[in-house]
Amino acid sequence: MRAAILAASLLMVVPASAQTVDERLPTCLACHGKNGTSAIPTVPSLGGMPVNYLLSQLYLFRENIRKVDPMNAMAAGLSDDDLRTLGALFNKMPAPPPAPALTAAEEASGADLVEKYHCNSCHMPNLSGQGTIPHIAGQHVEYVKQALVTYKNNTRRGYSPAMNEAVQAVEDADIPLLARYVSSFREPPAQ
């Protein structure tokens, strides 16, 4: 009897590639957060991300160019229109809030690192990203550290080698503070 129930339930499982965007969205939101802000420290928040960044990443996952098993499975079978729909949905969600503020000394040192490594050149002065460059302000510390390390050791592929090349200059000892600064980044008040 148990075997019959198990077999029947397996027949009702629909592969991700056969699901519509609306059917897949709850699974996306389970990891990336119902409002686009992930509760999982190693999973990025996608709210407020530039649409073209989201499109490029979903394309890389769909084509198995960037390997992250759950994402490769979720993106399998998505059409280009599906990629655009998902990109637009997450882009319209609010960007993640900043992590708790750093001490004044850490804040100053972190800002110096952003200048030193030119993070604000591509990611913009407010770290909101642009085009195919992601919004990094407010991302989880662990996710930022993981991204920097995997770009630096070339185990993370992007749509171009720009980030892999840029991170080569980042000293390993600077990664923890740089990640904490990015995670807690707040725009300075208007003067």
Side-chain angles (χ1 to χ4, degrees):
M1 182 65 163
R2 281 186 173 166
I5 293 171
L6 179 60
S9 66
L10 289 175
L11 291 174
M12 294 189 303
V13 174
V14 179
S17 61
Q19 294 177 324
T20 67
V21 169
D22 288 339
E23 292 168 331
R24 290 183 202 209
L25 191 58
T27 303
C28 299
L29 297 176
C31 292
H32 294 287
K34 67 177 184 169
N35 294 317
T37 298
S38 170
I40 305 168
T42 55
V43 173
S45 296
L46 301 181
M49 280 288 177
V51 172
N52 287 337
Y53 172 75
L54 293 167
L55 289 173
S56 67
Q57 295 305 301
L58 287 167
Y59 174 82
L60 293 173
F61 289 130
R62 181 184 73 186
E63 302 301 317
N64 288 304
I65 296 168
R66 183 171 172 205
K67 303 283 188 185
V68 177
D69 292 335
M71 288 303 304
N72 298 122
M74 284 304 301
L78 289 173
S79 69
D80 290 347
D81 285 338
D82 293 338
L83 301 183
R84 285 188 276 277
T85 298
L86 285 168
L89 283 168
F90 279 105
N91 172 263
K92 289 178 182 163
M93 293 179 181
L102 302 176
T103 66
E106 290 173 321
E107 184 82 24
S109 295
D112 289 345
L113 291 176
V114 164
E115 289 289 327
K116 176 181 177 180
Y117 297 124
H118 311 287
C119 306
N120 54 358
S121 295
C122 296
H123 293 280
M124 304 299 290
N126 63 359
L127 305 179
S128 65
Q130 61 177 332
T132 57
I133 311 296
H135 179 114
I136 57 174
Q139 289 294 339
H140 293 292
V141 173
E142 288 306 312
Y143 176 75
V144 176
K145 283 195 293 191
Q146 174 187 326
L148 290 169
V149 167
T150 54
Y151 275 127
K152 188 169 183 171
N153 69 21
N154 290 307
T155 57
R156 179 171 175 172
R157 290 185 64 178
Y159 51 88
S160 84
M163 191 64 186
N164 302 82
E165 292 168 5
V167 176
Q168 295 310 307
V170 176
E171 295 176 34
D172 291 345
D174 289 339
I175 289 175
L177 178 57
L178 185 58
R180 287 183 22 244
Y181 178 82
V182 165
S183 182
S184 66
F185 181 82
R186 289 161 174 74
E187 284 195 70
Q191 301 283 341

